Each structure stands twice: as structure tokens, then as C-alpha cells.
Amino acid sequence: MAPTQQDLYTAQARSLHGTGRVDVSGRAGLPVGAPSELGGSGHGYDPEQLYAAALATCLHQALVIAATETGVDPSGSEVTARVRLSNGGAQHYRFDATADVSLPSAEGDRRSRVIEQALRLCPISDQLDPPPA
């Protein structure tokens, strides 16, 4: 028998053309815009920044859980995510994401085990290529 799935939380974001903002879960909107490197104003957050923020936050929360569960002190831990937008031609775009993980209280195999567990816990970590070291 398959385990029963329990919904824990739902977030919603809405983007409307011409508004320059994204409303997130009924809160005041985040300013959004295209980066200046792509011909935009550079004002507000772009999708790549928002995705990097989501990935870094998700993986870091998972890292803290995994560290705590295995007796590793998560103090001073940090995750930096980078998202690169690429164009494969004919309007085919893709994201490439990487992450750097700092876990000062663990080294070697212990550090690797905590990071592997964090990758399993974070539901969007499968988008990372290559996995963080």
C-alpha cells in the first residue's frame, strides 16, 4: 500500500501583464521586471532571481533538517544557488541551476551524507545540475 500524501502548505503567485509585480499568496506584490542584460529596465526581480531564491531557501531549510536529524550543528550553514538562462535557438529557453553548500560543522563523509539527505528532502533540488558539493 502506498503511503498517504498529506498536503502541508499551498502558496500561490499571480502575474498580470503590465503590472510590474507578482502577487504572492495574497500579500503585497513583489516588483518584477526583465534584467537589463536582456533589454529590460533592471527594476524588480526577474524569474531567474526568484527561482534562485526559491532553490537556495528550499535546499537550506532541507539542509538544516537533515543536519539536525543526524546530529550535525547547522550553525553557520549557507546555500548559494545560481540560475543561468540559456537560449537553445528558436525561442527554446532553459534554466541551469547550481548550488554551493557550506556546512562548517561537518566534513568528509558526514558532510556528504547530510547534503545527500537534504537533496532528497528538497522537492526542487532535482533541478540542480550538477549536484552541490
Side-chain angles (χ1 to χ4, degrees):
M1 178 194 283
T4 303
Q5 180 174 319
Q6 178 184 3
D7 293 341
L8 299 175
Y9 174 73
T10 300
Q12 176 176 310
R14 181 178 64 153
S15 177
L16 299 169
H17 178 74
T19 64
R21 73 183 202 313
V22 172
D23 295 329
V24 181
S25 294
R27 296 182 185 165
L30 290 170
V32 294
S36 56
E37 296 87 346
L38 298 177
S41 69
H43 296 107
Y45 300 99
D46 58 67
E48 296 77 22
Q49 291 171 317
L50 295 172
Y51 186 68
L55 184 55
T57 302
C58 180
L59 187 55
H60 193 233
Q61 289 176 344
L63 184 73
V64 169
I65 291 168
T68 302
E69 287 178 348
T70 57
V72 172
D73 181 5
S75 297
S77 63
E78 185 177 310
V79 175
T80 301
R82 290 175 187 80
V83 173
R84 182 180 61 235
L85 177 66
S86 300
N87 182 351
Q91 293 186 339
H92 176 72
Y93 299 95
R94 61 174 280 140
F95 283 153
D96 293 304
T98 60
D100 295 322
V101 176
S102 175
L103 186 58
S105 63
E107 294 180 2
D109 289 341
R110 193 169 191 205
R111 179 181 183 277
S112 295
R113 283 193 303 274
V114 172
I115 292 173
E116 287 170 9
Q117 177 65 7
L119 289 167
R120 285 191 290 275
L121 291 171
C122 173
I124 60 173
S125 68
D126 60 344
Q127 301 299 315
L128 289 170
D129 185 39

